[in-house]
Amino acid sequence: MSTTQKAWELENAVKLVDPQRDALYGYDAEEQKAIQNEQPWRRDPHHFKNVRISAVALLKMVMHARSGGSLEVMGLMQGKISGDTFIVTDAFRLPVEGTETRVNASDEANEYVIQYLQSCRENGRADNAVGWYHSHPGYGCWLSGIDVATQMAQQFQDPFLAVVIDPDRTISAGKVEIGAFRTYPKDYKPAGNQEDDDYQTIPLAKIEDFGAHASQYYSLEISHYKSTLDAQLLELLWNKYWVSTLSQSPLFTNREYSSKQMLDLSQKIRNAEKSIQSSSRGGHMGGRGSKDSHMEKVVRDSNKIAGEEITGLMAGEIKAKLFEGVGAAARSETTA
């Protein structure tokens, strides 16, 4: 295994399952049927708490998301259920039309899903479709109003999971930016404060949509795994992924995303300044916590952007040191 692949697996906490059994890839049709008949998620909207995604499925989803550029892409995930955990063994892309804010699944896509799953069963793979994934290029991992409606419709064929990947932030951070979610039943009211512990930067243009639907779903804990069964496939996929990563500069590839981040940050700073000035003129001493919260978010956003830019600069410097003079050396050998 290459050093870069090891680093990617370490960064995304990919763990090796038992090399003797590869148990997560085993599919017991009777066990899955019993779970379907019992349907514990109907009694407890928070029944599912974890997602385990294979390294192959993760890499496939990331490559698909990156191929869409600024347009959203969509696909399905295959796998099974084990207790309170979704186990995702594979993923495949869907032929759908995407825009910068949504993906539209057509009848053609639905027909493709049926044919694909039927082909899998004919070839001995009985894994069910356990969820869908799509990309949010540059604006984080969460569910929009359209996503919530899509997931609610899909949960009629429960159990079903929604996964979101941000390809732009993945390139900038060097680590897969991913989130997994389940929506609540229509009339269910979650108790207490549902604010996510994991802070993420939301563009101002998306904040209203983010806030309006944040109480309609919850996030699941994500972990990644690999096995001896997928080692060769993972190596083939990695070679394709690494060539693409190596040939690109995060700063150059993501320049539009970085510019939008800076413009968004400047607007957030102006908004925070106006809020502080307004509170000061009004003489509201009780607004100190609110002012600190505004400033804390601005500081966290600016630190995040600075960290991503530093990572991009370091990557460029390392590539320059590694490959400086390689082309000239190759030409001189040819002419010698």
Side-chain angles (χ1 to χ4, degrees):
M1 185 194 302
S2 67
T3 304
T4 52
Q5 185 179 339
K6 287 181 181 178
W8 182 84
E9 291 181 1
L10 182 64
E11 187 70 31
N12 291 285
V14 177
K15 298 179 181 178
L16 179 67
V17 300
D18 189 336
Q20 300 301 319
R21 291 180 296 159
D22 292 318
L24 291 180
Y25 282 88
Y27 187 88
D28 187 331
E30 291 300 318
E31 178 189 30
Q32 295 302 303
K33 185 177 180 180
I35 293 172
Q36 283 283 0
N37 291 335
E38 187 180 350
Q39 296 187 338
W41 52 87
R42 298 290 186 191
R43 300 188 298 271
D44 179 12
H46 278 276
H47 172 73
F48 291 108
K49 299 176 178 63
N50 304 287
V51 186
R52 299 194 70 182
I53 303 176
S54 73
V56 167
L58 178 67
L59 200 51
K60 280 185 177 181
M61 291 189 286
V62 172
M63 291 171 69
H64 186 201
R66 286 181 61 171
S67 71
S70 62
L71 302 181
E72 291 193 10
V73 300
M74 179 180 175
L76 285 190
M77 298 175 291
Q78 293 174 273
K80 62 181 182 178
I81 305 301
S82 177
D84 63 358
T85 302
F86 282 91
I87 297 176
V88 177
T89 56
D90 202 0
F92 61 95
R93 60 181 66 192
L94 290 179
V96 299
E97 294 181 1
T99 69
E100 292 186 355
T101 57
R102 68 176 69 186
V103 279
N104 303 308
S106 61
D107 291 338
E108 180 188 352
N110 295 329
E111 185 178 342
Y112 178 85
V113 171
I114 294 171
Q115 292 178 351
Y116 185 92
L117 293 177
Q118 181 62 34
S119 176
C120 287
R121 293 188 179 96
E122 290 173 357
N123 286 277
R125 289 189 54 195
D127 305 45
N128 290 319
V130 294
W132 66 295
Y133 71 88
H134 71 291
S135 60
H136 275 184
Y139 51 95
C141 298
W142 48 279
L143 297 185
S144 67
I146 295 171
D147 299 337
V148 168
T150 301
Q151 176 62 14
M152 283 184 170
Q154 296 292 344
Q155 282 186 200
F156 280 114
Q157 54 180 359
D158 249 350
F160 220 70
L161 171 74
V163 163
V164 182
I165 292 176
D166 187 333
D168 290 349
R169 296 187 181 187
T170 294
I171 293 173
S172 292
K175 175 185 176 182
V176 179
E177 187 84 8
I178 187 172
F181 310 96
R182 288 268 300 170
T183 51
Y184 294 118
K186 193 171 183 181
D187 299 324
Y188 179 78
K189 301 293 182 185
N193 185 10
Q194 296 297 310
E195 190 172 322
D196 197 345
D197 292 334
D198 294 327
Y199 174 81
Q200 59 175 316
T201 303
I202 307 296
L204 283 173
K206 301 288 184 180
I207 283 180
E208 186 175 350
D209 192 20
F210 171 77
H213 306 282
S215 63
Q216 295 179 269
Y217 62 89
Y218 70 97
S219 60
L220 287 75
E221 188 72 26
I222 300 175
S223 60
H224 308 293
Y225 70 93
K226 66 174 183 175
S227 77
T228 56
L229 292 175
D230 57 17
Q232 186 175 2
L233 181 58
L234 182 60
E235 185 176 349
L236 292 172
L237 283 170
W238 175 256
N239 289 338
K240 184 177 179 181
Y241 177 81
W242 176 240
V243 168
S244 174
T245 302
L246 191 64
S247 63
Q248 295 175 343
S249 163
L251 295 180
F252 183 76
T253 304
N254 261 16
R255 60 190 184 281
E256 185 178 350
Y257 163 70
S258 300
S259 298
K260 288 180 179 178
Q261 288 276 87
M262 293 299 293
L263 287 171
D264 195 70
L265 178 62
S266 66
Q267 185 60 51
K268 287 180 179 178
I269 292 173
R270 284 194 290 270
N271 290 350
E273 184 181 8
K274 289 177 183 176
S275 176
I276 292 170
Q277 290 175 349
S278 177
S279 299
S280 299
R281 285 196 296 268
H284 299 303
M285 297 301 294
R288 176 65 182 270
S290 176
K291 288 188 285 186
D292 288 346
S293 175
H294 279 300
M295 290 306 301
E296 182 184 352
K297 288 181 179 179
V298 168
V299 170
R300 292 174 80 171
D301 285 356
S302 60
N303 286 339
K304 177 180 176 296
I305 293 172
E308 290 175 351
E309 293 298 305
I310 290 172
T311 299
L313 287 169
M314 289 177 63
E317 286 297 313
I318 291 171
K319 289 176 185 178
K321 293 292 183 183
L322 284 172
F323 300 108
E324 186 177 9
V326 170
R331 286 193 297 271
S332 62
E333 289 178 6
T334 304
T335 54

